[in-house]
Amino acid sequence: MLMGFMLFFIHPFDKEQAGLHRGMRFMVFSNLEIDVLRLTAWCKDLTVRCGQYIPEEIPEFLRDYGYLRRSRSGQSYRVTQSGYRLLESAGYYYEPDLQYRGQGPALTRRIQMSELMLFFMRLGINVFAEEPSTETPDMTFLPAFSLRRKKSSNILGGTRFTGFLYTAEYAFIPYYIAPENDGIYPGTEQSMFSASGLLSGRTPFVLYTGAQSLEELIALTKGQPAIRKTKSTTLSFDSAAVFFNCPVCYVPLSGLGLRQLRILSCQNYRQRLAERILGVDYLPGLHQSDARHQKTNDNYLIGIDCNLKQFEMVSQALPAFHLIVLEEQIPAIRKFMAGKNATLHSIRISAAEHVLGLSSELMNNDWNPFQTEKGDYLTAPLSPAYRKARTKD
């Protein structure tokens, strides 16, 4: 299956229309294909497990045309010299690696980072930011490696957060948590992400991710560091969450996680959901709750962010409260809240999205033809294999 557009922007997937133009010999690149090639150059390595976020045929198509290659380990794609030249013709300039990186912690971190950025890109987030900015009308991700690559200084030191996801209200600070993690120093991490204007005037919000299910993600945060250096005093991510003086959310790398993150990015989503749920009985919350019931004075907490440390704090502060989470979060949260003084309720994610004016469908991939700043299209000759396949149609 071939990506891209034929000349005159006839998409090869439309066999009936493509058959009318068998004489065409060029393909026009789509925005999505250029973005995938650009992301690979930006991250240096792109995970081969990308089918959850983009059509997995795209990197293989770019590989068939010689713009990508598989790394020797087979774990990632890398941009070839032809790929870098194509990006330059598109107006994007990236420095290739000076030396080959084989299997090891550095390659593993790159692959994890590329998966996280594919996750963000699937939401339409700009993942190519190079500097912190207060003027970001749309969601924007500034990867930590962009700051680390600066030759003049490395202001992030040995911190483990992966960057800054800027929304209208928050600066999410994501951590990719893997079984091989060696823990963190939360005080050092917090002093770094709070300094030097990196938050761009927004409220910090730590984001734990890495696993594809909430249950697995919670388990990973509670696990002891798998690689502990002699006399190391690093903390597990679960223990570190208590030391952060900002919220900590748990967002799995899954379709549910994508929709969850969209909700968390909506301004005042807690109040808007609480008002709809309680209706005329809504009152503003007290004692860290989001709302109170006018007649019963019961406290309600919107827990879609899975901020477990907040759940614990509210449980200790109140004799009882109502906790509202997504249906899919119930199994993991029920286990965490077992024995605590909370009544657990669920809400369908489609219902929450409706209240917030969100579509239940994620945005479509951008198959529109790519154009440079001058309005030019990028083309490539159709491969002999593609022309042969079309002749047989």
Side-chain angles (χ1 to χ4, degrees):
M1 188 179 295
L2 183 64
M3 305 292 109
F5 285 76
M6 294 185 69
L7 202 59
F8 302 136
F9 318 129
I10 302 298
H11 199 291
F13 286 144
D14 191 336
K15 293 188 177 182
E16 183 177 351
Q17 292 188 42
L20 299 175
H21 298 273
R22 295 180 189 276
M24 296 303 163
R25 292 293 182 266
F26 290 90
M27 177 204 65
V28 178
F29 286 95
S30 69
N31 286 319
L32 180 59
E33 288 153 352
I34 295 300
D35 279 346
V36 171
L37 185 62
R38 187 183 176 193
L39 182 66
T40 309
W42 188 218
C43 294
K44 306 295 187 184
D45 286 88
L46 180 75
T47 177
V48 296
R49 299 182 301 171
C50 55
Q52 184 176 355
Y53 311 108
I54 59 173
E56 57 187 8
E57 293 89 353
I58 288 184
E60 284 301 314
F61 152 69
L62 292 170
R63 181 188 176 198
D64 289 344
Y65 269 74
Y67 300 118
L68 292 181
R69 64 176 177 85
R70 284 278 191 118
S71 63
R72 294 174 190 171
S73 68
Q75 297 176 292
S76 65
Y77 295 101
R78 289 176 176 163
V79 180
T80 64
Q81 289 300 318
S82 295
Y84 282 112
R85 286 194 293 270
L86 179 62
L87 286 173
E88 287 181 10
S89 66
Y92 303 122
Y93 301 88
Y94 296 101
E95 292 288 337
D97 274 336
L98 296 178
Q99 61 183 12
Y100 177 82
R101 287 189 181 272
Q103 286 184 314
L107 177 60
T108 298
R109 286 193 296 270
R110 281 186 177 183
I111 291 172
Q112 292 170 348
M113 189 68 175
S114 71
E115 183 180 5
L116 179 62
M117 293 174 74
L118 281 167
F119 179 80
F120 291 152
M121 200 166 77
R122 186 66 185 87
L123 282 182
I125 296 170
N126 171 22
V127 297
F128 300 107
E130 299 184 32
E131 297 284 349
S133 173
T134 57
E135 299 179 0
T136 50
D138 300 317
M139 294 175 68
T140 302
F141 180 62
L142 170 65
F145 65 65
S146 177
L147 300 173
R148 294 184 188 281
R149 289 173 185 171
K150 295 185 183 302
K151 297 179 181 179
S152 57
S153 64
N154 178 12
I155 63 173
L156 301 185
T159 53
R160 299 301 175 87
F161 56 85
T162 60
F164 299 86
L165 174 59
Y166 300 115
T167 69
E169 186 175 2
Y170 294 110
F172 287 96
I173 299 99
Y175 287 87
Y176 191 110
I177 303 173
E180 66 272 13
N181 82 82
D182 56 354
I184 58 173
Y185 295 100
T188 301
E189 299 282 326
Q190 183 165 270
S191 63
M192 283 295 180
F193 68 63
S194 299
S196 304
L198 293 174
L199 296 177
S200 294
R202 294 168 172 84
T203 302
F205 202 138
V206 168
L207 188 157
Y208 284 170
T209 191
Q212 293 197 354
S213 73
L214 180 57
E215 293 89 341
E216 182 184 359
L217 180 57
I218 293 174
L220 284 176
T221 65
K222 291 180 176 295
Q224 290 300 313
I227 306 172
R228 183 176 287 278
K229 300 177 183 178
T230 305
K231 296 182 180 179
S232 173
T233 56
T234 57
L235 299 179
S236 69
F237 284 92
D238 177 63
S239 299
V242 180
F243 288 87
F244 289 128
N245 61 8
C246 64
V248 178
C249 61
Y250 290 66
V251 178
L253 291 177
S254 65
L256 174 67
L258 285 168
R259 295 169 73 181
Q260 176 194 4
L261 183 57
R262 274 198 319 178
I263 291 174
L264 303 189
S265 303
C266 291
Q267 286 187 288
N268 302 318
Y269 80 91
R270 291 174 175 273
Q271 180 180 339
R272 292 161 66 185
L273 289 175
E275 287 177 345
R276 178 62 65 89
I277 290 169
L278 293 182
V280 295
D281 291 316
Y282 167 84
L283 287 176
L286 298 173
H287 308 294
Q288 298 189 48
S289 68
D290 294 308
R292 288 174 295 142
H293 194 284
Q294 183 174 245
K295 295 184 177 67
T296 65
N297 207 38
D298 288 351
N299 287 279
Y300 285 77
L301 180 66
I302 304 297
I304 294 174
D305 56 2
C306 296
N307 185 357
L308 302 185
K309 73 170 184 177
Q310 184 188 26
F311 297 174
E312 187 72 45
M313 292 170 62
V314 174
S315 179
Q316 294 175 6
L318 299 174
F321 70 102
H322 298 265
L323 177 60
I324 300 171
V325 298
L326 300 175
E327 282 183 344
E328 295 85 351
Q329 296 170 335
I330 283 287
I333 300 304
R334 179 183 289 123
K335 183 177 180 181
F336 177 81
M337 298 299 294
K340 295 183 173 64
N341 54 341
T343 301
L344 201 56
H345 305 273
S346 67
I347 181 174
R348 294 192 308 275
I349 192 167
S350 58
E353 289 168 335
H354 178 73
V355 172
L356 299 172
L358 299 171
S359 169
S360 59
E361 300 292 332
L362 297 176
M363 64 180 296
N364 294 325
N365 288 316
D366 188 357
W367 292 109
N368 290 312
F370 175 85
Q371 289 182 271
T372 66
E373 288 187 359
K374 296 181 179 180
D376 298 329
Y377 298 99
L378 298 184
T379 64
L382 293 179
S383 69
Y386 176 77
R387 293 199 298 268
K388 183 178 180 180
R390 281 297 173 204
T391 301
K392 294 179 179 179
D393 284 349

